[in-house]
Amino acid sequence: MTGTDRLREYVSRSSRIVFFGGAGVSTESGLPDFRSVDGLYSQKYDVPPETILSHTYFYAHTEAFFRFYREKMLFPEAKPNAAHLTLARWEQEGKLSAVVTQNIDGLHQAAGSRRVFELHGSVLRNHCVHCGQAYPVQAILNSTGVPLCGCGGVIKPDVVLYEEGLDEKVLNGAVRAIEQADLLLVAGTSLTVYPAAGLLRFFDRRRGPLVLINRDATGMDDSADLLLRGKVGEILAAL
């Protein structure tokens, strides 16, 4: 039995699948990943991307932040790929109970998924740091320099920057979903970003298997019941 056959069997007998995904889920939609050898964080910049995407840098160098953010973090033309579409179909069929994602691109919802826990927020949501007025992503895309609210405040993306904490409601919802899962499918993530990666410890292995799909090795490979190497969309589309 091949690895794909085993995964197909796991999926067929599961009714509370939770999908935990990272940047590798969206690379087939044309978005870059971050920590692979050719990822965003491996490229050379005068200021490291991890520094630019920090709370401190946002407030100290706001215009430089938005210059990088518009160029490297926004992909308005991106469309859901086979991974997003397969997961949305599983939810509609009553097999998948939640998507827990480290991604900020909104592609799971664009594919039709409804129960999505966005651990790191979303580029599609933005707000004024002074009055709280909400803005769509077009407010960032259509502006130059620092995007400003009508009140004069800076419009900040609703993404979790370095040095910022995760949203407690989102985090608690993700934990509850993982605790109740009968199959935890982890894909497209290096599992090096905490506290997000630490959520895997809430999965009860007595309830079902842990499956890892990733292009590169992770620190959890030896713990998986099934390990598949390859592109997430291609593997899920074959089920």
Side-chain angles (χ1 to χ4, degrees), residues 173-213:
V175 167
R176 286 195 298 271
I178 291 172
E179 286 177 334
Q180 298 167 8
D182 59 6
L183 166 60
L184 182 59
L185 181 54
V186 180
T189 173
S190 62
L191 294 176
T192 58
V193 179
Y194 284 82
L199 296 184
L200 271 62
R201 73 180 186 273
F202 292 101
F203 179 53
D204 186 347
R205 302 292 289 275
R206 295 169 297 182
R207 285 181 171 270
L210 170 65
V211 176
L212 259 62
I213 303 174

Side-chain angles (χ1 to χ4, degrees), residues 21-75:
V25 178
S26 293
T27 53
E28 290 166 85
S29 294
L31 278 68
D33 68 359
F34 293 87
R35 289 176 171 77
S36 68
V37 293
D38 53 354
L40 183 63
Y41 289 172
S42 297
Q43 300 174 27
K44 300 299 181 184
Y45 298 94
D46 293 338
V47 179
E50 296 98 320
T51 299
I52 298 173
L53 297 174
S54 70
H55 179 91
T56 297
Y57 195 90
F58 175 84
Y59 284 99
H61 307 280
T62 310
E63 187 166 356
F65 169 91
F66 277 107
R67 189 161 53 244
F68 178 89
Y69 182 80
R70 288 189 187 93
E71 180 182 351
K72 299 296 184 180
M73 305 300 290
L74 297 180
F75 298 87

Side-chain angles (χ1 to χ4, degrees), residues 79-106:
K79 303 296 183 185
N81 62 51
H84 303 105
L85 296 170
T86 299
L87 295 169
R89 175 168 56 82
W90 287 354
E91 183 183 44
Q92 292 165 4
E93 294 171 351
K95 300 191 69 62
L96 183 137
S97 60
V99 169
V100 179
T101 181
Q102 296 171 282
N103 295 338
I104 57 177
D105 50 48

